[in-house]
Amino acid sequence: PHLDWIDDPRKKEEHNFDSAGIGSNRFATILLYMSDLEAGDGGETLFSHGWPAGQAEEDHVQLDDAIDALRASGDVEGILKRDSWEEKMVANCRSRLAVRPHSSRAVLFYSQHPDGSVDQSSLHGGCPVITDQPKWAANLWAWNSIRGGFPGSPKNEHVVEKNRAANKSPENDQQKHATFINDKSDESMRHAQLFFQDTFWGNYGFDDPPLGINTFKGHKWHVRVDGEVIKSFTIGRDKKQEFHI
């Protein structure tokens, strides 16, 4: 799970993300579902700090019990490894607050409190899909003020001055295009998968085509094999970038 709110606690970036002060940040997310998944298929959007709406406190199911129930159901037998992050995620998705994808459904949630401070209850993630049916969704992000890279956006002036003194070009978070390519030279990467933070993005193995993605400077992408992070990439300044495994 992750936050859509962008954190820069040491103010290293030119853009000022401190939305509780003069900065701007992601204020709200609208997640649009474009496909249907049935109960038990996975693919929900999990809010890991929340509980199902209307559920009494005495009915809350803790993670260990949720994992036991998932294993007893046999729903992920032969699909997910025991004790993997995917198994834990599915267990959380079945016990915590989660929204099932439906093509006529959208989820709206806020990343900030009214005073602009980050709302930790917006921590969320995508549940693994455990069926052959695809999941399609799209994000719309609303900012509380002008976003970075656009005229009038709030700046950390000390970073701007430092970069100017070093003759660095102004930084912004304008869109970059990254291509992730599996060179098929490392057998351990045969069944690799690509993740944005903790969210599954696409299969990245020997039999899969290169993944072309629109992303932003500073975004971190992880390569996982059997649930373990094997390699990580950080998006840089260049407009077009390639990453190989």
Side-chain angles (χ1 to χ4, degrees):
H2 61 277
L3 297 168
D4 284 352
W5 194 86
I6 301 169
D7 197 11
D8 180 28
R10 298 185 179 180
K11 297 187 186 303
K12 292 184 176 181
E13 303 294 331
E14 286 196 3
H15 182 75
N16 187 329
F17 290 101
D18 184 11
S19 51
I22 65 169
S24 69
N25 212 312
R26 292 171 181 164
F27 170 69
T29 298
I30 302 173
L31 179 60
L32 307 168
Y33 297 113
M34 301 177 182
S35 54
D36 298 317
L37 289 173
E38 300 298 326
D41 286 349
E44 302 94 339
T45 302
L46 167 71
F47 294 90
S48 52
H49 288 326
W51 296 100
Q55 186 182 75
E57 185 174 351
E58 58 268 22
D59 294 329
H60 292 174
V61 179
Q62 300 303 320
L63 179 58
D64 288 345
D65 294 330
I67 291 174
D68 289 342
L70 176 63
R71 291 174 179 174
S73 73
D75 290 347
V76 296
E77 190 72 30
I79 302 174
L80 304 179
K81 285 189 173 183
R82 287 199 169 203
D83 299 318
S84 65
W85 72 268
E86 293 101 332
E87 184 190 50
K88 294 176 182 177
M89 193 73 167
V90 172
N92 266 323
C93 292
R94 294 190 174 189
S95 57
R96 290 284 188 160
L97 178 62
V99 181
R100 180 161 53 90
H102 190 283
S103 55
S104 63
R105 185 174 292 156
V107 178
L108 167 66
F109 59 92
Y110 297 92
S111 296
Q112 299 176 24
H113 291 294
D115 65 356
S117 61
V118 59
D119 186 347
Q120 296 290 343
S121 65
S122 67
L123 189 74
H124 64 284
C127 305
V129 177
I130 54 175
T131 180
D132 292 335
Q133 295 298 316
K135 172 188 173 182
W136 294 96
N139 270 339
L140 295 174
W141 286 310
W143 288 59
N144 67 307
S145 186
I146 302 171
R147 62 170 292 180
F150 289 86
S153 61
K155 304 289 187 184
N156 289 317
E157 294 299 338
H158 69 286
V159 180
V160 174
E161 292 301 323
K162 179 181 177 181
N163 288 343
R164 189 174 297 162
N167 200 30
K168 290 183 179 180
S169 59
E171 295 182 2
N172 58 54
D173 65 347
Q174 292 285 355
Q175 196 171 81
K176 317 294 182 183
H177 186 81
T179 303
F180 295 87
I181 300 170
N182 191 324
D183 294 332
K184 304 179 184 180
S185 59
D186 184 347
E187 183 62 29
S188 68
M189 295 295 184
R190 175 173 290 276
H191 301 295
Q193 295 179 314
L194 185 67
F195 285 71
F196 173 62
Q197 298 176 347
D198 292 326
T199 300
F200 172 73
W201 198 267
N203 290 320
Y204 191 19
F206 279 14
D207 298 328
D208 304 304
L211 293 168
I213 297 166
N214 291 325
T215 182
F216 295 90
K217 179 182 176 294
H219 277 183
K220 295 185 183 298
W221 294 84
H222 303 300
V223 181
R224 290 180 183 262
V225 176
D226 294 331
E228 299 296 326
V229 175
I230 305 300
K231 192 176 185 65
S232 296
F233 300 111
T234 301
I235 303 301
R237 289 174 170 271
D238 294 342
K239 191 70 174 176
K240 293 183 178 182
Q241 300 166 53
E242 282 190 3
F243 300 94
H244 294 255
I245 57 172

